[in-house]
């Protein structure tokens, strides 16, 4: 049996917003497996357990650059939010986005080697680190070169979206970009949702169905047939696909229409999109929070 530490409980709580002792129980049941514990909480607590599953833990900004049918989206990270608001840091991010669009670098290393004001971008970055006294990195970028049009939306500096679309109305592209920032779809259409995400959702739905069946047996109530359970499972998957694919989502400016219906009405086609959320997927040490959890755990034992 793996030892469940306060830091592990704190990390799971930060990811899920579930009660602290529920997090500890889930980790114990999962023998310390963080991903498995998160699934257990979803089964037991429903959507509440994932309300903050993508809580951002790293600082920085997302920057965009568009010139005609060429554009770029870049994420640049810093250690603190204070530095993320620094004008020189923001200029670094904006210059990085421009360099991506203009030079089409193969990767981050190639981007850092590009010239900027008589130096390389990496030399500018290193000089800024020396000036501010805080580490900063260029994490990722996406370049666009399309025969159609590009629209972008920045929600502050923490969420950035670029949409590749075809259509006469420029506002439609901007509306779609804003919608993506708000609703965070994982793919354009349901058939493009990554298989691993579907399997994870299927596993959660199956575990939830089994738990409901166990509760029914314990209460002396009839258990649903295998056929009904299979239909229920498939219904859960279809609901999930609708929620996470852009074309199936309800348009934020008119929830009576799906994005697909709105685009058809506007004679517009979305070809692709990319969304970056600052720090998404990056873990950040939370020593103080872990200490707080440890104290609460100790108090609960008394």
């Amino acid at each position: 049996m793996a030892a469940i530490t306060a830091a592990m409980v704190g990390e799971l709580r930060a990811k899920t917003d579930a009660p602290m002792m529920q997090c500890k129980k889930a980790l114990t049941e999962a023998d310390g497996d963080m991903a498995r514990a998160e699934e257990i909480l979803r089964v037991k607590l429903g959507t509440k357990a994932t309300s903050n599953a993508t809580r951002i833990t790293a600082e920085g900004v997302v920057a965009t650059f568009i010139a005609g049918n060429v554009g770029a989206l870049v994420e640049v990270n810093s250690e603190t939010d204070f530095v993320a608001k620094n004008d020189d840091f923001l200029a670094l991010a904006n210059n990085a986005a421009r360099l991506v669009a203009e030079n089409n670098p193969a990767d981050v290393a190639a981007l850092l080697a590009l010239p900027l004001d008589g130096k390389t971008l990496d030399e500018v970055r290193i000089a800024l680190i020396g000036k501010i006294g805080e580490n900063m990195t260029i994490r990722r970028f996406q370049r666009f070169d399309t025969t159609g049009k590009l629209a972008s939306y920045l929600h502050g500096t923490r969420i950035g979206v670029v949409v590749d679309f075809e259509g006469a109305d420029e506002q439609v592209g901007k509306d779609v970009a804003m919608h993506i920032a708000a609703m965070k779809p994982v793919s354009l259409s349901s058939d493009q949702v990554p298989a691993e995400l579907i399997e994870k959702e299927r596993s959660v739905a199956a575990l939830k169905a089994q738990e409901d069946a166990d509760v029914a047996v314990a209460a002396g109530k009839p258990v649903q047939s295998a056929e009904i359970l299979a239909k229920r499972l498939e219904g859960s998957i279809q609901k999930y696909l609708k929620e996470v694919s852009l074309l199936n989502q309800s348009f934020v400016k008119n929830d009576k229409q799906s994005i697909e219906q709105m685009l058809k009405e506007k004679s517009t086609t979305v070809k692709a999109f990319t969304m970056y959320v600052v720090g998404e997927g990056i873990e950040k040490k939370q020593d103080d929070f872990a200490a707080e959890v440890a104290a609460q755990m100790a108090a609960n034992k008394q």
Side-chain angles (χ1 to χ4, degrees):
M1 178 67 70
I4 307 304
T5 66
M8 293 168 66
V9 174
E11 180 182 347
L12 185 59
R13 185 183 177 191
K15 284 184 173 182
T16 65
D17 250 9
M20 181 181 62
M21 295 313 294
Q22 290 277 8
C23 290
K24 184 182 179 184
K25 289 178 182 178
L27 282 164
T28 301
E29 184 177 338
D31 196 23
D33 186 318
M34 189 65 65
R36 173 75 178 127
E38 189 174 339
E39 287 191 8
I40 289 170
L41 286 175
R42 289 192 60 194
V43 171
K44 293 184 179 299
L45 303 179
T47 56
K48 180 182 177 182
T50 56
S51 62
N52 285 307
T54 56
R55 178 178 289 175
I56 306 307
T57 56
E59 302 303 333
V61 299
V62 176
T64 64
F65 178 87
I66 293 177
N69 60 353
V70 175
L73 187 66
V74 174
E75 179 183 351
V76 182
N77 294 127
S78 60
E79 293 182 43
T80 66
D81 182 57
F82 177 77
V83 169
K85 298 174 182 177
N86 178 277
D87 287 342
D88 290 335
F89 180 79
L90 293 172
L92 176 71
N94 289 327
N95 279 320
R98 177 179 58 80
L99 288 173
V100 168
E102 293 176 350
N103 296 275
N104 192 22
D107 51 29
V108 171
L111 169 60
L112 289 169
L114 291 173
L116 177 65
D117 299 331
K119 302 178 181 179
T120 65
L121 180 62
D122 199 33
E123 288 171 337
V124 173
R125 179 186 69 88
I126 292 170
L128 191 54
I129 291 173
K131 176 181 178 181
I132 295 178
E134 180 173 313
N135 191 29
M136 53 196 70
T137 59
I138 296 176
R139 182 188 181 198
R140 54 181 173 169
F141 65 81
Q142 178 67 49
R143 184 177 184 271
F144 299 82
D145 189 350
T146 180
T147 56
K149 298 177 180 178
L150 296 174
S152 66
Y153 175 77
L154 287 174
H155 186 73
T157 56
R158 299 187 66 84
I159 301 175
V161 179
V162 174
V163 176
D164 181 355
F165 71 103
E166 292 182 345
D169 192 341
E170 303 280 352
Q171 186 60 44
V172 175
K174 295 177 182 178
D175 285 347
V176 171
M178 180 187 68
H179 170 97
I180 292 168
M183 303 306 294
K184 299 178 176 59
V186 301
S187 68
L188 179 61
S189 58
S190 58
D191 61 351
Q192 295 176 2
V193 176
E196 61 269 21
L197 294 182
I198 297 175
E199 286 309 306
K200 183 176 181 179
E201 192 66 24
R202 191 182 302 278
S203 174
V204 169
L207 289 170
K208 179 62 176 173
Q210 183 59 56
E211 181 162 288
D212 289 347
D214 292 344
V215 170
V217 170
K221 297 179 179 179
V223 178
Q224 293 177 328
S225 68
E227 182 180 357
I228 291 176
L229 287 174
K231 289 181 178 179
R232 176 180 166 187
L233 178 59
E234 186 58 30
S236 296
I237 298 301
Q238 292 305 315
K239 180 175 181 291
Y240 169 74
L241 292 174
K242 182 177 180 180
E243 289 173 347
V244 301
S245 54
L246 174 63
L247 295 179
N248 289 316
Q249 289 181 335
S250 296
F251 183 31
V252 290
K253 293 179 73 172
N254 178 9
D255 60 9
K256 304 299 181 183
Q257 276 187 318
S258 68
I259 288 291
E260 186 171 32
Q261 290 169 333
M262 183 275 289
L263 292 173
K264 185 176 180 180
E265 182 181 279
K266 300 292 186 178
S267 299
T268 301
T269 302
V270 172
K271 300 163 63 178
F273 72 87
T274 297
M275 177 184 69
Y276 284 167
V277 179
V278 169
E280 188 175 37
I282 296 177
E283 297 295 337
K284 186 177 181 181
K285 291 179 66 177
Q286 298 188 35
D287 295 331
D288 292 341
F289 187 41
E292 175 190 339
V293 172
Q296 290 187 38
M297 288 172 65
N300 281 324
K301 290 180 180 180
Q302 296 177 355

